[in-house]
Each structure stands twice: as C-alpha cells, then as structure tokens.
Amino acid sequence: MARVLAIAAVAVAGAWLGLALGASVRTSMGPADVQMSFQPTWRGESVIDVRPLGTLRFASHRGPVRLTLGIEAVHPDVAQEILNNPEWANRLPETIERDLLEGLRQLAIRAVLFAVGGGFLAGLIVFRRLSRAAWTGAGALVAVAALGGVSVLTFNPRSVSEPRYTGLLTGVPSLIGSAQSIVTRFDEYRGQLAKLVTNVSQLYEAGSTLPIYTPDPGTIRVLHVSDLHINPVGWNVIRSLKEQFKVDLIIDTGDISDHGTRAENPFVEEIGKLGVPYVYVRGNHDSAITQRAVAKQKNAIVLDGTAKTVKGLRIYGIGDPRFTPDKSLEPAADDADLVNLGRTHAARLAPPERPNPAADPSPEKIPVDLVAVHDPTVGRGLSGSTALVLAGHVHKRSTQLLPTGTRLMVQGSTGGAGLRGLEHEEPTPLEASVLYFSKDTHRLQAWDDITVGGLGEQWIQCQRRIEAEPGRTILPEPKNVPSPTGTISGTPSPIALASRANVPYASEVSDGRRNGTGRKLRAPIV
C-alpha cells in the first residue's frame, strides 16, 4: 500500500509539473494570434488575458485547471478586411469557433503528452527504476484523464454571461504614494478616478453586447449605492456610473453622513446635480437633520415608511430608527427587534401580482416592486412581502435568495468606508451595483457589481450576474415564525432600538471585522 501511494503521489506531482511547463500552444483565431495554456490550480476557471487592459474571468468549470487565452498580437490587415468586407464579417463567428476548437484539440494532446512525460520522468528520478517510472507515467495519464473528465462534466456554458473584469489601465497616472502625497493630490485623484471608471465602464459595456443578456432600450436601470460616509470620491464614482450605464434612477440605502451634523449637510448638495431621481432611506449615521437636508435637494425622494413610484418602479423605504454615531451608546441590540421591525412593515406590503384576499380583514396591502432599508437584519423581516430588498450598513457586498423567493441584496460602501478607508494596510474599495429591471414585469433581470480600488489605487472590477428565475413566485412568510433569537412579542419603538443599538461607531469597526476576518460583533448583523 505504501508503494502504491508513493507511486500515485509521484504520478500526480509529475503530471502537475508537466502541465505547468508544457501545456501551451499558439494558434491563430480570426485576426489575432492567441496563446492557449492549461495551468494547474485549485479553482477551475477560464481566463482571457487582454494586456495591458486586464483580464476577463469565467467560472466555466470546476476541475483543478485554468484555461488561459492570451491575445499575443492582432494582424491589422486581416482586421481591416473584416471591417470592410461584410461577407468576411458574417463568417467570423464560425471561423473563430473552428479555430478555438482546433486550438483546444492541440492543447489537449500536448497537455496529455507533457503530463505523462512529467509523470514518467518524476518516477524515474524518484524511484530510479523503469518499471516504477512506467507506473507513474500510467498514473499521470489516469490523473490527467480524470482532470479532463471533471472539467467536461462540470462545464458551465452559462458562465460566459457572468464575466468578471479585473485590470489596471496604463493610461491612468501613477498615484500610489504616501498618505501625505494622496492628500495633497486629492483633486487630481478624484478626476483621474472618474476617467478610470468611465473608461472601464465603456470597455465592460462593449463586452455586454455579446449574444448574452443585453439590456434593451426599455430596461429600467437602477444604480444602488450605500454608506458614502461623506467621502467626496463616492460622488465621482456615482456620476461616472450614472453616465456610462445610462441609469434611470439611484437608490441610496443610507449612511450618506458620518455624524449627522449640520456641518455635513453641504455634502448632500451633489444630489441635485445628478439629473436623475435619487431615492434615499436614512441610515443609523444619518440624523433627522441629514434627512431633511436630503429632502431639500432637487431630484431627491426620501422614503420613511412610505412608497413612491419612480420611473415605473414601486419603491417602499424604511429609514433606520436608530441614530448611533454617539460612542456613548451601548451596542447591545437584539436582532429580534430589527427583524420584528421589518415584519411590521411587511404586513403592509405585497408583490403587485399577489391579490389581497377578500376574506382578509386587514387594510389593502401596498403593492411594491422593491423595498429599500439600511440594515439587512430589518430586510430579512421583509421576506415574502416583495421580490427584492436592498440594504447596506455592513460595508460588504452580498446577496441571498430567501426561502420565500425574496432576494436580499446588501451593498458595500460606495464611499470606501469614508476617510477611515486609509486607516488599514489596504484602502477599503468603493462598491456600487447597476440593477436591470424589466419594464413590463418590474422584476430584476440582471445586475453588474462594480468595485473600484480604494483611495490611491487604480484598479476596477465589474462582475455581471444573471437572475436565474426573474418571474419566480414570491411566497408569503409563514405566520408565527420565531425570530433569530426567540419569539417576537411586540414591535419595538425607535427609542428602544436606539437605546440598545447594535451598531458600533464606524471608526471602531475595522475592515477585518466587517469582512469576517477579525473579532465578531456581539450579534452578527449579516
């Protein structure tokens, strides 16, 4: 058994090394020369390397191998012929498909040869016997066959519709330096960041014209932002995304301010310059003073236990009842209170397609397409009352499909956690999402998650997500469901919530704690 295990281990190691060193071919693909390679990795994916712009990644399979396609060169004469000759252009998809399959065939043959050769040589070096080397070569063949089989069986053609772009644009001046340098060149950084977002948005928008989900002219485009924390850079990102993705409205799920003081009110004046409706719900760092300042701005729509139809979407908003930038407040709230608050509002709401039962003595429910809240814990209490709940608060993006069919989408910090983003080794990234809704059904069809490097960094990532079942039925939440910490026995008042607020002061919460890598909060909010 020890010999068998030793031979297997050497075979796998030799095959791994053989793939890493020799599984690569260069082939023509349309007007371009492409380098194709297999690399052993712990997570299967396909990567298109478009230097110097960056890379597109697809979760195409689960086998422990990465397929990389790097564009080495483009022949201008062939490209010009394609542009000038419609007949050539019509044949281009078939040509590229044929070239790709031929390249993959050659790459697979080369990968098998190098894997078997690597296994044989590894066995010869380790055991110094031809018979054992032959066994390790055979073992390498079995290993690479198993790897290929897993990759084929787990192949996901849907992944081409959900690419992830990551890159560094060389046209952007280098701005990484000391903290003092960043501060002194802050205005220049803001301008260059806006150009970066604009350029990458154009690149990603061009990629979305592939024969996958493409927003039609009737699509309602919504930009979801949250937790700006008076960081002016967030407005640059919002303006760039608004223009490049042609958004119809913006939804802000709170914490636009940091302390809720009158001195911070001028920060919200940018809302009136955006030129599109700006739907806002109060966060726990936003005071009533902040909410009134937002309400005075042109285009602003403040929702606090109210509903409004904006660009065809019926939106209900719930302002956070707590105001907790004061460090003296004891962070000891019960999640049950927050969930109960959501359920209290949920009793008033229903998806538009769900009729109000004739035997129901309660008042007629408000039909809503989505609900905006600040704390996702409140959002969970809205399960079954709407198809979509938008939230923020935790400075970390996530999405979850609840059992009732309600999708809870939590946005990261569009302000990069405010100026605290520089307090850690790596600046907190700025996050926002563009949501695409059907104009006919008002249901979410797809969304783009945009992540921009924090202050002083120059990278951007766009991830396309497709809603698997946009027309799914939203089921009512079962009655008498216990809260996360016990049975709910009443609706807490805003004063009670504020006095037991489960929201530590933002400057006291490290990115590690928000992202789950540091100490846990007393009661997890997500």
mmCIF file of all heavy atoms in Angstrom, residues 49-79:
data_model
loop_
_atom_site.group_PDB
_atom_site.id
_atom_site.type_symbol
_atom_site.label_atom_id
_atom_site.label_comp_id
_atom_site.label_asym_id
_atom_site.label_seq_id
_atom_site.Cartn_x
_atom_site.Cartn_y
_atom_site.Cartn_z
ATOM 1 N N ASP A 49 -6.866 36.960 -21.320
ATOM 2 C CA ASP A 49 -5.893 37.977 -20.935
ATOM 3 C C ASP A 49 -5.738 38.974 -22.084
ATOM 4 O O ASP A 49 -5.232 38.634 -23.149
ATOM 5 C CB ASP A 49 -4.552 37.305 -20.622
ATOM 6 C CG ASP A 49 -3.545 38.276 -20.009
ATOM 7 O OD1 ASP A 49 -3.838 39.485 -19.995
ATOM 8 O OD2 ASP A 49 -2.472 37.829 -19.571
ATOM 9 N N VAL A 50 -6.202 40.204 -21.866
ATOM 10 C CA VAL A 50 -6.130 41.246 -22.894
ATOM 11 C C VAL A 50 -5.178 42.333 -22.373
ATOM 12 O O VAL A 50 -5.611 43.352 -21.854
ATOM 13 C CB VAL A 50 -7.517 41.849 -23.206
ATOM 14 C CG1 VAL A 50 -7.455 42.740 -24.443
ATOM 15 C CG2 VAL A 50 -8.539 40.758 -23.405
ATOM 16 N N ARG A 51 -3.920 42.080 -22.481
ATOM 17 C CA ARG A 51 -2.950 43.049 -21.986
ATOM 18 C C ARG A 51 -2.887 44.249 -22.933
ATOM 19 O O ARG A 51 -2.973 44.092 -24.137
ATOM 20 C CB ARG A 51 -1.566 42.393 -21.883
ATOM 21 C CG ARG A 51 -1.542 41.220 -20.904
ATOM 22 C CD ARG A 51 -0.187 40.557 -20.871
ATOM 23 N NE ARG A 51 -0.235 39.373 -20.007
ATOM 24 C CZ ARG A 51 0.793 38.546 -19.859
ATOM 25 N NH1 ARG A 51 1.919 38.771 -20.491
ATOM 26 N NH2 ARG A 51 0.673 37.507 -19.069
ATOM 27 N N PRO A 52 -2.683 45.465 -22.389
ATOM 28 C CA PRO A 52 -2.474 45.821 -20.990
ATOM 29 C C PRO A 52 -3.776 46.168 -20.258
ATOM 30 O O PRO A 52 -3.726 46.675 -19.155
ATOM 31 C CB PRO A 52 -1.599 47.064 -21.097
ATOM 32 C CG PRO A 52 -2.123 47.746 -22.322
ATOM 33 C CD PRO A 52 -2.505 46.639 -23.273
ATOM 34 N N LEU A 53 -4.930 45.912 -20.891
ATOM 35 C CA LEU A 53 -6.192 46.351 -20.289
ATOM 36 C C LEU A 53 -6.571 45.545 -19.059
ATOM 37 O O LEU A 53 -7.120 46.089 -18.111
ATOM 38 C CB LEU A 53 -7.316 46.283 -21.322
ATOM 39 C CG LEU A 53 -7.162 47.212 -22.533
ATOM 40 C CD1 LEU A 53 -8.306 46.987 -23.497
ATOM 41 C CD2 LEU A 53 -7.109 48.659 -22.088
ATOM 42 N N GLY A 54 -6.302 44.253 -19.066
ATOM 43 C CA GLY A 54 -6.677 43.446 -17.919
ATOM 44 C C GLY A 54 -7.114 42.061 -18.327
ATOM 45 O O GLY A 54 -6.708 41.550 -19.381
ATOM 46 N N THR A 55 -7.952 41.440 -17.527
ATOM 47 C CA THR A 55 -8.389 40.070 -17.776
ATOM 48 C C THR A 55 -9.887 39.932 -17.583
ATOM 49 O O THR A 55 -10.499 40.640 -16.788
ATOM 50 C CB THR A 55 -7.694 39.079 -16.818
ATOM 51 O OG1 THR A 55 -8.015 39.420 -15.469
ATOM 52 C CG2 THR A 55 -6.188 39.092 -17.001
ATOM 53 N N LEU A 56 -10.467 39.001 -18.337
ATOM 54 C CA LEU A 56 -11.857 38.575 -18.153
ATOM 55 C C LEU A 56 -11.822 37.147 -17.645
ATOM 56 O O LEU A 56 -11.146 36.283 -18.230
ATOM 57 C CB LEU A 56 -12.636 38.649 -19.471
ATOM 58 C CG LEU A 56 -13.129 40.026 -19.897
ATOM 59 C CD1 LEU A 56 -13.654 39.962 -21.331
ATOM 60 C CD2 LEU A 56 -14.234 40.511 -18.973
ATOM 61 N N ARG A 57 -12.544 36.879 -16.559
ATOM 62 C CA ARG A 57 -12.548 35.549 -15.960
ATOM 63 C C ARG A 57 -13.965 34.969 -15.981
ATOM 64 O O ARG A 57 -14.935 35.685 -15.771
ATOM 65 C CB ARG A 57 -12.027 35.596 -14.518
ATOM 66 C CG ARG A 57 -10.567 36.036 -14.432
ATOM 67 C CD ARG A 57 -10.090 36.178 -12.996
ATOM 68 N NE ARG A 57 -8.709 36.611 -12.968
ATOM 69 C CZ ARG A 57 -7.649 35.803 -12.951
ATOM 70 N NH1 ARG A 57 -7.866 34.496 -12.921
ATOM 71 N NH2 ARG A 57 -6.436 36.266 -12.931
ATOM 72 N N PHE A 58 -14.043 33.649 -16.238
ATOM 73 C CA PHE A 58 -15.323 32.954 -16.298
ATOM 74 C C PHE A 58 -15.227 31.701 -15.434
ATOM 75 O O PHE A 58 -14.258 30.942 -15.535
ATOM 76 C CB PHE A 58 -15.668 32.547 -17.731
ATOM 77 C CG PHE A 58 -15.605 33.668 -18.724
ATOM 78 C CD1 PHE A 58 -14.435 33.974 -19.391
ATOM 79 C CD2 PHE A 58 -16.735 34.440 -18.987
ATOM 80 C CE1 PHE A 58 -14.373 35.015 -20.298
ATOM 81 C CE2 PHE A 58 -16.683 35.480 -19.901
ATOM 82 C CZ PHE A 58 -15.501 35.763 -20.550
ATOM 83 N N ALA A 59 -16.219 31.477 -14.596
ATOM 84 C CA ALA A 59 -16.272 30.251 -13.787
ATOM 85 C C ALA A 59 -16.835 29.134 -14.657
ATOM 86 O O ALA A 59 -17.950 28.654 -14.472
ATOM 87 C CB ALA A 59 -17.131 30.457 -12.552
ATOM 88 N N SER A 60 -16.044 28.691 -15.637
ATOM 89 C CA SER A 60 -16.526 27.804 -16.695
ATOM 90 C C SER A 60 -16.592 26.341 -16.290
ATOM 91 O O SER A 60 -17.314 25.562 -16.902
ATOM 92 C CB SER A 60 -15.630 27.942 -17.930
ATOM 93 O OG SER A 60 -14.275 27.695 -17.576
ATOM 94 N N HIS A 61 -15.817 25.928 -15.275
ATOM 95 C CA HIS A 61 -15.782 24.531 -14.869
ATOM 96 C C HIS A 61 -15.217 24.443 -13.461
ATOM 97 O O HIS A 61 -14.758 25.441 -12.897
ATOM 98 C CB HIS A 61 -14.920 23.703 -15.833
ATOM 99 C CG HIS A 61 -13.502 24.182 -15.925
ATOM 100 N ND1 HIS A 61 -13.136 25.288 -16.658
ATOM 101 C CD2 HIS A 61 -12.364 23.747 -15.329
ATOM 102 C CE1 HIS A 61 -11.843 25.490 -16.540
ATOM 103 N NE2 HIS A 61 -11.344 24.565 -15.732
ATOM 104 N N ARG A 62 -15.215 23.245 -12.891
ATOM 105 C CA ARG A 62 -14.746 23.069 -11.521
ATOM 106 C C ARG A 62 -13.511 22.196 -11.422
ATOM 107 O O ARG A 62 -13.031 21.936 -10.331
ATOM 108 C CB ARG A 62 -15.862 22.478 -10.657
ATOM 109 C CG ARG A 62 -17.045 23.415 -10.492
ATOM 110 C CD ARG A 62 -18.058 22.842 -9.528
ATOM 111 N NE ARG A 62 -19.189 23.733 -9.361
ATOM 112 C CZ ARG A 62 -20.234 23.487 -8.583
ATOM 113 N NH1 ARG A 62 -20.281 22.357 -7.904
ATOM 114 N NH2 ARG A 62 -21.225 24.350 -8.483
ATOM 115 N N GLY A 63 -13.029 21.697 -12.531
ATOM 116 C CA GLY A 63 -11.815 20.903 -12.482
ATOM 117 C C GLY A 63 -10.625 21.753 -12.051
ATOM 118 O O GLY A 63 -10.588 22.959 -12.308
ATOM 119 N N PRO A 64 -9.618 21.153 -11.412
ATOM 120 C CA PRO A 64 -8.479 21.928 -10.894
ATOM 121 C C PRO A 64 -7.499 22.341 -11.982
ATOM 122 O O PRO A 64 -6.312 22.012 -11.930
ATOM 123 C CB PRO A 64 -7.847 20.965 -9.887
ATOM 124 C CG PRO A 64 -8.153 19.613 -10.431
ATOM 125 C CD PRO A 64 -9.521 19.729 -11.060
ATOM 126 N N VAL A 65 -7.989 23.034 -12.991
ATOM 127 C CA VAL A 65 -7.128 23.506 -14.072
ATOM 128 C C VAL A 65 -7.692 24.806 -14.613
ATOM 129 O O VAL A 65 -8.909 24.999 -14.664
ATOM 130 C CB VAL A 65 -7.021 22.440 -15.194
ATOM 131 C CG1 VAL A 65 -8.377 22.212 -15.857
ATOM 132 C CG2 VAL A 65 -5.984 22.839 -16.236
ATOM 133 N N ARG A 66 -6.817 25.721 -14.978
ATOM 134 C CA ARG A 66 -7.219 27.010 -15.537
ATOM 135 C C ARG A 66 -6.867 27.040 -17.023
ATOM 136 O O ARG A 66 -5.741 26.742 -17.413
ATOM 137 C CB ARG A 66 -6.504 28.150 -14.822
ATOM 138 C CG ARG A 66 -6.836 29.533 -15.404
ATOM 139 C CD ARG A 66 -5.950 30.624 -14.834
ATOM 140 N NE ARG A 66 -6.124 30.750 -13.400
ATOM 141 C CZ ARG A 66 -5.141 30.644 -12.520
ATOM 142 N NH1 ARG A 66 -3.909 30.398 -12.932
ATOM 143 N NH2 ARG A 66 -5.377 30.774 -11.227
ATOM 144 N N LEU A 67 -7.854 27.403 -17.833
ATOM 145 C CA LEU A 67 -7.619 27.622 -19.263
ATOM 146 C C LEU A 67 -7.397 29.109 -19.485
ATOM 147 O O LEU A 67 -8.254 29.922 -19.159
ATOM 148 C CB LEU A 67 -8.818 27.140 -20.086
ATOM 149 C CG LEU A 67 -8.807 27.519 -21.578
ATOM 150 C CD1 LEU A 67 -7.616 26.892 -22.291
ATOM 151 C CD2 LEU A 67 -10.117 27.126 -22.255
ATOM 152 N N THR A 68 -6.236 29.452 -20.027
ATOM 153 C CA THR A 68 -5.899 30.852 -20.261
ATOM 154 C C THR A 68 -5.741 31.103 -21.752
ATOM 155 O O THR A 68 -5.044 30.348 -22.450
ATOM 156 C CB THR A 68 -4.594 31.236 -19.540
ATOM 157 O OG1 THR A 68 -4.749 31.017 -18.142
ATOM 158 C CG2 THR A 68 -4.254 32.698 -19.774
ATOM 159 N N LEU A 69 -6.387 32.141 -22.251
ATOM 160 C CA LEU A 69 -6.248 32.577 -23.634
ATOM 161 C C LEU A 69 -5.681 33.989 -23.605
ATOM 162 O O LEU A 69 -6.338 34.920 -23.136
ATOM 163 C CB LEU A 69 -7.592 32.570 -24.375
ATOM 164 C CG LEU A 69 -8.172 31.215 -24.768
ATOM 165 C CD1 LEU A 69 -8.797 30.509 -23.570
ATOM 166 C CD2 LEU A 69 -9.216 31.378 -25.869
ATOM 167 N N GLY A 70 -4.465 34.116 -24.065
ATOM 168 C CA GLY A 70 -3.824 35.426 -24.085
ATOM 169 C C GLY A 70 -3.675 35.924 -25.507
ATOM 170 O O GLY A 70 -3.141 35.227 -26.376
ATOM 171 N N ILE A 71 -4.172 37.121 -25.775
ATOM 172 C CA ILE A 71 -4.063 37.700 -27.116
ATOM 173 C C ILE A 71 -2.654 38.250 -27.278
ATOM 174 O O ILE A 71 -2.278 39.240 -26.641
ATOM 175 C CB ILE A 71 -5.114 38.795 -27.325
ATOM 176 C CG1 ILE A 71 -6.526 38.199 -27.180
ATOM 177 C CG2 ILE A 71 -4.943 39.464 -28.688
ATOM 178 C CD1 ILE A 71 -7.643 39.204 -27.315
ATOM 179 N N GLU A 72 -1.860 37.600 -28.144
ATOM 180 C CA GLU A 72 -0.466 37.975 -28.329
ATOM 181 C C GLU A 72 -0.304 39.078 -29.368
ATOM 182 O O GLU A 72 0.535 39.960 -29.224
ATOM 183 C CB GLU A 72 0.355 36.749 -28.755
ATOM 184 C CG GLU A 72 0.345 35.621 -27.738
ATOM 185 C CD GLU A 72 1.136 35.984 -26.495
ATOM 186 O OE1 GLU A 72 2.172 36.665 -26.633
ATOM 187 O OE2 GLU A 72 0.707 35.599 -25.398
ATOM 188 N N ALA A 73 -1.115 39.004 -30.420
ATOM 189 C CA ALA A 73 -0.982 40.003 -31.485
ATOM 190 C C ALA A 73 -2.255 40.019 -32.322
ATOM 191 O O ALA A 73 -2.981 39.026 -32.390
ATOM 192 C CB ALA A 73 0.224 39.701 -32.376
ATOM 193 N N VAL A 74 -2.537 41.153 -32.947
ATOM 194 C CA VAL A 74 -3.654 41.305 -33.865
ATOM 195 C C VAL A 74 -3.099 41.765 -35.202
ATOM 196 O O VAL A 74 -2.332 42.731 -35.268
ATOM 197 C CB VAL A 74 -4.688 42.320 -33.342
ATOM 198 C CG1 VAL A 74 -5.808 42.513 -34.360
ATOM 199 C CG2 VAL A 74 -5.269 41.860 -32.009
ATOM 200 N N HIS A 75 -3.478 41.084 -36.281
ATOM 201 C CA HIS A 75 -2.983 41.427 -37.618
ATOM 202 C C HIS A 75 -3.855 42.531 -38.212
ATOM 203 O O HIS A 75 -5.035 42.299 -38.521
ATOM 204 C CB HIS A 75 -3.000 40.198 -38.516
ATOM 205 C CG HIS A 75 -2.152 39.076 -37.995
ATOM 206 N ND1 HIS A 75 -0.784 39.099 -38.015
ATOM 207 C CD2 HIS A 75 -2.495 37.895 -37.406
ATOM 208 C CE1 HIS A 75 -0.306 37.989 -37.488
ATOM 209 N NE2 HIS A 75 -1.333 37.236 -37.108
ATOM 210 N N PRO A 76 -3.343 43.735 -38.379
ATOM 211 C CA PRO A 76 -4.155 44.861 -38.853
ATOM 212 C C PRO A 76 -4.786 44.619 -40.218
ATOM 213 O O PRO A 76 -5.911 45.041 -40.466
ATOM 214 C CB PRO A 76 -3.159 46.027 -38.893
ATOM 215 C CG PRO A 76 -2.054 45.620 -37.973
ATOM 216 C CD PRO A 76 -1.955 44.136 -38.092
ATOM 217 N N ASP A 77 -4.049 43.947 -41.134
ATOM 218 C CA ASP A 77 -4.585 43.736 -42.477
ATOM 219 C C ASP A 77 -5.825 42.845 -42.446
ATOM 220 O O ASP A 77 -6.823 43.115 -43.123
ATOM 221 C CB ASP A 77 -3.514 43.140 -43.393
ATOM 222 C CG ASP A 77 -2.867 41.894 -42.785
ATOM 223 O OD1 ASP A 77 -2.969 41.713 -41.555
ATOM 224 O OD2 ASP A 77 -2.271 41.107 -43.547
ATOM 225 N N VAL A 78 -5.774 41.775 -41.621
ATOM 226 C CA VAL A 78 -6.931 40.886 -41.513
ATOM 227 C C VAL A 78 -8.096 41.609 -40.836
ATOM 228 O O VAL A 78 -9.253 41.494 -41.251
ATOM 229 C CB VAL A 78 -6.554 39.614 -40.730
ATOM 230 C CG1 VAL A 78 -7.769 38.694 -40.609
ATOM 231 C CG2 VAL A 78 -5.408 38.891 -41.407
ATOM 232 N N ALA A 79 -7.792 42.376 -39.778
ATOM 233 C CA ALA A 79 -8.845 43.118 -39.088
ATOM 234 C C ALA A 79 -9.508 44.126 -40.010
ATOM 235 O O ALA A 79 -10.742 44.294 -39.992
ATOM 236 C CB ALA A 79 -8.259 43.835 -37.878
#
